[in-house]
Amino acid sequence: MTEHGVVTEATAATQLADERAPVDVPRATDEVVVLDYGGQYSQLIARRVRECGVFSELLPHHVGAEEVRRRKPKGLILSGGPASVYADGAPRLDKELLELGIPVLGICYGMQLVARSLGGRVEAAEVGEFGRSQLTVREHGRLLNGLPAEQTCWMSHRDTVFEAPPGFTALASSTASPVAALESVERGIYGIQFHPEVVHTPYGQEVLKTFLRDICECEMTWSAASIVEEQIAQIRAQVGDGRVICGLSGGVDSSVAALLVHRAIGDQLTCVFVDHGLMRKNEGEQVISAFRDHFKVPLVAVDAEERFLTKLAGVTEPEAKRKVIGTEFIRVFEEEAAKLAEGGEGARFLVQGTLYSDVIESGGGTGAATIKSHHNVGGLPDDLQFDLVEPLRALFKDEVRAVGAELGLPERLVWRQPFPGPGLAIRVVGGEATKERLDVLRDADFILQDEIRKAGLYRELWQSFCVLPDVRTVGVQGDERTYGYVVVIRAVTSDDAMTADWARLPYDLLEQIASRMINELREVNRVVLDITSKPPGTIEWE
Ligand code: XMP
């Protein structure tokens, strides 16, 4: 599968999903497994557990008790899910999971599963409970120890637990849930109807902490940075004295993956950076200076601008542009790999910046309501006959950033916003990506980024960039008629690019950006703002 004609890192992860166990990283720290029953927030639960200092993996609910046992977790969390426990085909609870000798916490659907299978009363309520709700703690028990008697929490359910199973204590109720939390300390089984993982449940993290620290007795010592040493050992064990190659795009994933591998095996690694001439201003130089000059990573930088622009001549249709760029990228990479192999041993291993979110999604827990496709920059197909080295397979994006910072990666690379593999070519829309247009776009984009950074907004935005439609409009500048380009400002907030909202940039900032673009770029005489969310729009214009 290719994503818009450009093979992405996620593509490789997808192809591998069937062959690999999710993440088998030997680790010294405690682990808690989250079983995914298809809830919207399941990934977030694993992330929150990690934020508490306990490593956590999200596994599809159907993996079975044996697989959970094999990981030797200190506790088990059953996630929420979109189904009613009574719906046909709704995920069931494997009762063996309650007999593993480790504490179990059911969240939302997870709690209903537990309650139902142990003899509690779970029924569809007349009204659902969606959004903010008031939780009243009647008995604190172990799970809600130390929490206020009244608190706000976030709910999202229609089925409701009306009675806790025999032997369980009902700890709390909420606006629409007679039993909103329950426990049996004796059996080591706990449940909450509300979502502790979302920010709208102010004491949510406290509940998780109590479960992890006091109930599971975990040591809270895990951190993203703590995996650096583990990964270094693992990479060494995997590649031995073999040669390794890495396609560096300047994006945070490939940058952190490359640095980690370099820490592990030094000059056995060669990075290949293909500058296709479709990067943002100064970006190529920044990558080269960070890797070659600062970190002393063996780096082949290929200036392929002319080659790409020649291939792009006359191509206007976005999918066609993507195909041309994707194919050419692979060709250049293969040529460089072949050159490196001349007169010596060729690379057997290829570094990929596959993230944990790619692994989870391609592992595809059944029952999940949506599976997003995640693209990344500079991915290569795995029929290039390399063994993959994927040191970030256990990490979420924000954790990769933490590792990048730990390894000393410059702030600009650590916090770089996502950038499409085909680069600026798909932001020159409706026309050919010529050098002249790309330069106008690059300069406009530079001004935008500069002002956004100065305003301190760069990290808050998922992406901020310019689009250059193949349109000219009339203007008047200095008493003269002009006929210039229109630049579009696109700035969005998002968590995962699946949905996005247009960013409400301050008017003063927009004015400053527009006036700089028109004053500094002689080809531009009009600036407009895109106020479309996704859906219905996409983030890129293409
Ligand atoms: P859309 O435009 O589909 O984009 O809303 C979603 C996110 O994906 C990025 N994107 C790409 N990333 N290769 C990539 O590595 C690509 O071909 C590609 N196309 C889109 C886009 O910038 C946004 O963050």
Side-chain angles (χ1 to χ4, degrees):
M1 185 191 80
T2 59
E3 192 67 47
H4 310 290
V6 170
V7 181
T8 66
E9 292 178 10
T11 316
T14 312
Q15 288 158 350
L16 287 167
D18 299 340
E19 299 154 30
R20 289 181 175 222
V23 180
D24 266 332
V25 184
R27 73 178 48 77
T29 50
D30 288 338
E31 166 165 358
V32 162
V33 165
V34 179
L35 283 189
D36 184 7
Y37 287 86
Q40 226 182 320
Y41 307 118
S42 304
Q43 279 200 30
L44 201 50
I45 302 175
R47 291 178 47 175
R48 294 283 182 248
V49 171
R50 291 175 180 205
E51 280 166 22
C52 291
V54 177
F55 183 73
S56 179
E57 270 189 84
L58 182 68
L59 303 178
H61 65 85
H62 53 77
V63 292
E66 199 42 50
E67 183 59 31
V68 175
R69 195 179 284 118
R70 198 174 69 78
R71 286 157 201 279
K72 303 195 180 70
K74 301 271 290 210
L76 177 64
I77 295 179
L78 313 177
S79 85
S84 157
V85 281
Y86 294 107
D88 279 347
R92 302 258 162 256
L93 180 68
D94 171 0
K95 273 199 170 174
E96 222 189 303
L97 291 169
L98 305 179
E99 312 294 335
L100 295 172
I102 51 170
V104 177
L105 173 66
I107 294 176
C108 190
Y109 184 80
M111 166 168 118
Q112 295 169 5
L113 276 179
V114 169
R116 180 164 180 248
S117 72
L118 297 180
R121 186 157 68 88
V122 183
E123 285 170 19
E126 277 185 18
V127 286
E129 196 176 23
F130 297 96
R132 203 175 299 277
S133 189
Q134 193 62 22
L135 187 78
T136 304
V137 179
R138 312 221 172 271
E139 207 171 312
H140 284 82
R142 272 192 95 181
L143 187 63
L144 305 183
N145 188 22
L147 296 193
E150 292 287 332
Q151 56 190 283
T152 308
C153 65
W154 191 261
M155 295 278 197
S156 181
H157 65 111
R158 190 165 293 278
D159 283 357
T160 299
V161 179
F162 285 88
E163 264 170 50
F168 276 70
T169 310
L171 300 176
S173 61
S174 74
T175 321
S177 304
V179 181
L182 48 78
E183 71 179 25
S184 161
V185 174
E186 206 180 19
R187 298 194 59 173
I189 299 175
Y190 301 77
I192 43 181
Q193 181 61 63
F194 58 89
H195 287 274
E197 69 277 19
V198 302
V199 287
H200 314 287
T201 301
Y203 289 94
Q205 198 71 347
E206 286 307 309
V207 177
L208 285 178
K209 248 186 223 158
T210 303
F211 179 69
L212 299 168
R213 182 191 51 214
D214 303 339
I215 297 174
C216 301
E217 299 180 351
C218 291
E219 282 187 32
M220 328 277 267
T221 51
W222 187 86
S223 72
S226 73
I227 77 138
V228 169
E229 291 310 315
E230 271 167 27
Q231 276 307 319
I232 288 178
Q234 180 148 328
I235 294 164
R236 286 186 183 144
Q238 185 189 357
V239 307
D241 58 4
R243 297 214 56 83
V244 183
I245 196 167
C246 174
L248 203 56
S249 66
V252 59
D253 306 345
S254 68
S255 298
V256 174
L259 268 193
L260 208 44
V261 173
H262 187 250
R263 276 276 169 102
I265 55 162
D267 293 357
Q268 277 167 256
L269 170 74
T270 305
C271 289
V272 176
F273 169 63
V274 180
D275 186 347
H276 48 22
L278 309 167
M279 300 280 213
R280 285 179 289 198
K281 198 165 181 147
N282 303 336
E283 222 158 46
E285 290 86 356
Q286 282 165 12
V287 174
I288 295 171
S289 112
F291 281 83
R292 184 186 282 158
D293 306 338
H294 180 70
F295 290 110
K296 314 278 181 230
V297 177
L299 174 73
V300 179
V302 192
D303 179 358
E305 181 180 28
E306 244 187 77
R307 200 170 152 165
F308 277 82
L309 292 188
T310 308
K311 291 274 178 195
L312 281 169
V315 184
T316 56
E317 205 271 317
E319 286 301 303
K321 284 181 187 167
R322 285 174 172 281
K323 288 219 172 74
V324 166
I325 297 163
T327 311
E328 202 55 19
F329 184 86
I330 292 163
R331 208 155 282 156
V332 176
F333 191 86
E334 276 177 326
E335 283 170 20
E336 293 306 318
K339 277 190 214 157
L340 287 171
E342 271 169 27
E345 185 201 350
R348 213 187 105 201
F349 299 94
L350 174 71
V351 179
Q352 293 258 307
T354 314
L355 302 190
Y356 191 49
S357 27
D358 308 329
V359 175
I360 295 172
E361 277 138 26
S362 53
T366 54
T370 50
I371 297 182
K372 77 171 184 190
S373 65
H374 173 109
H375 6 216
N376 228 314
V377 185
L380 292 161
D382 67 349
D383 61 2
L384 283 181
Q385 306 297 331
F386 293 107
D387 289 344
L388 296 184
V389 179
E390 300 176 296
L392 310 178
R393 277 178 74 79
L395 299 181
F396 290 109
K397 187 85 170 189
D398 46 345
E399 297 170 341
V400 170
R401 291 204 159 109
V403 171
E406 171 82 11
L407 294 172
L409 197 67
E411 196 260 342
R412 250 176 206 270
L413 290 178
V414 169
W415 286 100
R416 191 182 186 256
Q417 292 174 351
F419 186 64
L424 298 181
I426 57 160
R427 294 179 180 168
V428 172
V429 294
E432 207 181 318
T434 58
K435 170 95 172 120
E436 184 245 340
R437 287 175 184 167
L438 288 165
D439 282 342
V440 173
L441 177 57
R442 215 178 331 256
D443 287 341
D445 187 76
F446 182 78
I447 293 171
L448 177 73
Q449 303 309 339
D450 189 42
E451 291 297 330
I452 296 241
R453 278 182 202 273
K454 278 200 242 159
L457 294 174
Y458 186 81
R459 286 191 197 181
E460 274 176 43
L461 300 173
W462 173 265
Q463 271 171 301
S464 46
F465 58 88
C466 294
V467 176
L468 191 74
D470 188 18
V471 170
R472 286 173 199 249
T473 68
V474 173
V476 51
Q477 279 168 290
D479 296 332
E480 270 188 46
R481 177 186 188 276
T482 57
Y483 192 52
Y485 281 116
V486 183
V487 168
V488 180
I489 297 176
R490 179 77 167 139
V492 296
T493 54
S494 174
D495 286 328
D496 54 8
M498 291 305 294
T499 59
D501 197 6
W502 61 280
R504 273 54 169 180
L505 297 177
Y507 279 170
D508 290 350
L509 174 62
L510 288 168
E511 185 181 356
Q512 166 73 2
I513 293 167
S515 102
R516 270 193 68 186
M517 285 183 190
I518 289 170
N519 290 330
E520 293 176 30
L521 309 177
R522 88 184 7 261
E523 305 86 348
V524 176
N525 67 356
R526 195 175 294 270
V527 178
V528 301
L529 177 68
D530 180 356
I531 55 165
T532 320
S533 59
K534 172 182 180 175
T538 50
I539 295 177
E540 302 288 345
W541 274 37
E542 314 256 338

